[in-house]
Amino acid sequence: MECIFCQIIAGAIPSEKVHETESLIVIKDIAPQAPTHLLAIPKAHLPTLNDCKDPNLLGELLDTARFMAKATGIEESGYRTLINTNADGGQVVHHLHLHILGGRSLSSSMG
Ligand code: 5GP
Ligand code: ZN
């Protein structure tokens, strides 16, 4: 198993897990880009957003982002949810994950 997130889910690589459901985990990003930087990661190995055909799972990812924003106190100050897909999207880890960023003012730029 070479996927780093699959290894984290299996417990073979340590992570700071902050939340878990039947279908996903939420961990702290190892190189945080903001005071709050979490990753919501489905337990199923889906390489990219293109591979996720389950609208319920996609809904759960966003629902989890909202839940974690509230839990970390950034619900009202604001936060960003982000999925990078493939090369032009800047995806580095090819296991679907949703970034949850907040705790500082983030640029309005999309670039
Ligand atoms: P991507 O660019 O693929 O959307 O983002 C991958 C993210 O995973 C990056 O923000 C990176 O810091 C994070 N990351 C990579 N390896 C690890 C790891 O081993 N543990 C944790 N917690 N985060 C990781
Ligand atoms: Zn994986």
Side-chain angles (χ1 to χ4, degrees):
M1 190 205 300
E2 60 187 52
C3 170
I4 195 150
F5 286 173
C6 281
Q7 292 180 66
I8 285 173
I9 289 157
I13 290 179
S15 68
E16 283 195 70
K17 198 192 305 179
V18 294
H19 185 63
E20 180 166 14
T21 71
E22 212 173 289
S23 52
L24 60 80
I25 61 168
V26 182
I27 63 171
K28 293 188 181 181
D29 197 290
I30 203 167
Q33 304 298 306
T36 297
H37 188 172
L38 303 174
L39 302 172
I41 309 174
K43 289 181 180 174
H45 179 82
L46 302 161
T48 78
L49 179 60
N50 296 338
D51 303 296
C52 184
K53 312 298 184 194
D54 180 356
N56 288 325
L57 180 57
L58 295 176
E60 199 188 338
L61 285 170
L62 280 178
D63 210 32
T64 299
R66 193 165 54 182
F67 172 82
M68 292 311 307
K70 187 167 190 177
T72 56
I74 58 170
E75 185 185 32
E76 294 304 326
S77 53
Y79 58 100
R80 179 170 295 169
T81 48
L82 185 70
I83 296 176
N84 298 321
T85 301
N86 284 335
D88 282 358
Q91 185 175 8
V92 172
V93 177
H94 286 262
H95 178 131
L96 176 62
H97 54 281
L98 175 75
H99 296 257
I100 304 153
L101 295 140
R104 70 169 171 88
S105 178
L106 296 156
S107 143
S108 58
S109 151
M110 294 299 287

